[in-house]
Amino acid sequence: MFGGAPYDDFLDAWRAERFDADAMMRLVADSGARYVVPTTKHHDGVTLWDAPGTGDRNTVRRGPRRDLVGEFRDAARRAGLRFGTYYSGGLDWHATGQPAITSDADHERRPVDAAYADYAFAHVADLIERYTPDLLWGDIEWPDHGKPDGPTSLAELFRRFYRASPDGVVNDRWGRTHWDFRTSEYEYGRDLESGVWEHCRGIGYSFGYNRLEDAEQSLSAEDAVRYFVDIVARGGNLLLNVGPTAAGELPELQRATLAGLGAWNRAHGDAIFGSRPLDAAVARASDEPWVRWTRTGDLAHAFVDAPAGVAVPLDADGGALDLDAATASPGALAEREGDRLVVTVREQALRGPVRVDLPMRARP
């Protein structure tokens, strides 16, 4: 389609002319999200700020001619969001001359030498100093030469990061070094060893904007809510990727998914944010019918997704939960039937699971 044009021609053609960081962060915050993690450099080596050692190959000197990382950071803080930075430390096709990856085995060709380790160190150190992120999200490992402790080591980066952000966190993709939380990616239902974890995926199958993706390949608002509730019910966070167009706007399909998440979270966020998984000895999740559980304080929360009119019995321990004191959201009816609680889903305007709250019984 582009006649074999050099990759950097696309950097020069990129304008981001309709990018409004405040408008985008408002969309993110309105979805219920508490933090945002923009890409600062992906595997192509183009940095979205004037990173040291990049010459003019960044968005400040070419293309948009803007410090997009700084715009994201400032807008995120104005919107009340925690701000993280994604940085591809393991791959940089431009700086190292490595070819693009086409399979998992190609990751073995990642650069590990001293020159690249120092180059990547300078970038992340600059991100920490300039933008004071709350989260460092590394990807595809870290060059091996930079792992042993030293003045330009990964350990030194982490020291600088925690000095600047004492309550900050880092993910687990820096190699077998250090992490505060584990991650999974597009592996739905995977349970991780750590008690603190995050699952990431795109609204579609792409990280970034793919004009060929439509509703069939993308999470609808209802799909996204179920996906989110499942992850929270198992103790995780969801990092949901959105991909702006080259002009800097989110496609309507992605905006609709975020809006649906926001509407549902405004109704039920008090049972989601700050919640913990409910002990399976108290109540059990199921896929058919779809039921998930969370807990906040002395309340258990059941989330049920079923067609309107369908009655769903909850697999819950009446000795641990007060079934008679259950309260249902407007889209549900909760009724005691013998020793179990049955939830009937009603027609509702809000897309996504309905909710029933049950008090925990005090244990002797």
Side-chain angles (χ1 to χ4, degrees):
M1 179 177 293
F2 297 101
Y7 189 90
D8 281 22
D9 283 7
F10 299 98
L11 170 58
D12 291 326
W14 182 26
R15 292 291 179 267
E17 65 275 11
R18 290 194 290 274
F19 176 63
D20 181 335
D22 284 301
M24 189 173 292
M25 291 303 96
R26 283 194 296 271
L27 286 173
V28 172
D30 286 348
S31 77
R34 302 296 176 87
Y35 64 108
V36 63
V37 187
T39 296
T40 66
K41 187 202 79 166
H42 207 253
H43 312 331
D44 61 1
V46 174
T47 62
L48 274 67
W49 86 107
D50 54 336
T54 57
D56 69 350
R57 200 173 186 270
N58 58 66
T59 62
V60 174
R61 302 299 181 87
R62 291 166 66 180
R65 297 187 180 275
R66 296 163 68 174
D67 177 2
L68 298 175
V69 176
E71 292 183 37
F72 270 122
R73 192 277 308 272
D74 294 346
R77 297 271 163 82
R78 285 191 288 267
L81 296 165
R82 293 281 192 143
F83 174 73
T85 52
Y86 168 101
Y87 181 85
S88 174
L91 292 176
D92 189 317
W93 303 323
H94 177 77
T96 65
Q98 296 282 358
I101 56 174
T102 58
S103 71
D104 287 344
D106 290 345
H107 288 181
E108 300 302 317
R109 298 201 308 263
R110 64 183 179 83
V112 298
D113 58 284
Y116 179 63
D118 289 348
Y119 179 79
F121 175 93
H123 286 183
V124 179
D126 195 52
L127 287 171
I128 294 168
E129 182 177 351
R130 287 199 202 198
Y131 306 113
T132 323
D134 303 297
L135 185 156
L136 292 182
W137 217 100
D139 204 11
I140 320 288
E141 264 265 24
W142 189 256
D144 293 355
H145 194 277
K147 290 176 182 175
D149 200 359
T152 58
S153 66
L154 186 56
E156 174 60 19
L157 279 179
F158 289 157
R159 283 191 287 267
R160 295 186 186 192
F161 171 64
Y162 291 121
R163 282 197 299 267
S165 302
D167 63 346
V169 292
V170 304
N171 72 335
D172 63 345
R173 302 193 184 187
W174 308 85
R176 299 183 65 84
T177 54
H178 163 76
W179 58 79
D180 294 306
F181 64 95
R182 304 304 302 267
T183 60
S184 59
E185 182 173 313
Y186 279 101
E187 298 164 289
Y188 185 70
R190 176 186 172 193
D191 287 312
L192 299 170
E193 298 171 3
S194 169
V196 183
W197 59 278
E198 174 194 79
H199 178 79
C200 69
R201 63 156 292 162
I203 286 180
Y205 292 115
S206 302
F207 282 119
Y209 173 63
N210 183 343
R211 71 178 67 185
L212 298 182
E213 286 186 343
D214 57 23
E216 185 177 346
Q217 291 89 33
S218 302
L219 291 175
S220 67
E222 189 171 2
D223 293 336
V225 169
R226 276 178 50 136
Y227 205 96
F228 178 45
V229 173
D230 172 76
I231 288 167
V232 172
R234 292 186 288 113
N237 277 11
L238 173 62
L239 184 62
L240 185 63
N241 183 267
V242 295
T245 65
E249 297 176 311
L250 288 186
E252 183 53 40
L253 185 150
Q254 295 184 27
R255 296 168 67 95
T257 297
L258 292 184
L261 272 166
W264 193 90
N265 280 327
R266 282 189 288 278
H268 300 296
D270 59 313
I272 291 292
F273 297 98
S275 70
R276 295 293 181 267
L278 185 67
D279 190 329
V282 175
R284 272 67 57 190
S286 65
D287 290 331
E288 294 292 340
W290 195 93
V291 179
R292 296 293 187 270
W293 295 85
T294 64
R295 176 178 179 172
T296 58
D298 294 329
L299 278 179
H301 311 282
F303 298 96
V304 179
D305 196 21
V310 171
V312 177
L314 298 183
D315 185 4
D317 179 2
L321 299 176
D322 187 349
L323 304 185
D324 292 317
T327 57
S329 65
L333 175 66
E335 298 176 299
R336 181 75 179 264
E337 292 186 4
D339 61 352
R340 66 182 186 175
L341 191 70
V342 176
V343 178
T344 302
V345 178
R346 296 168 163 172
E347 293 286 354
Q348 58 167 344
L350 188 64
R351 304 299 298 272
V354 298
R355 166 184 162 194
V356 176
D357 297 338
L358 299 98
M360 305 283 294
R361 294 187 188 276
R363 293 294 188 181

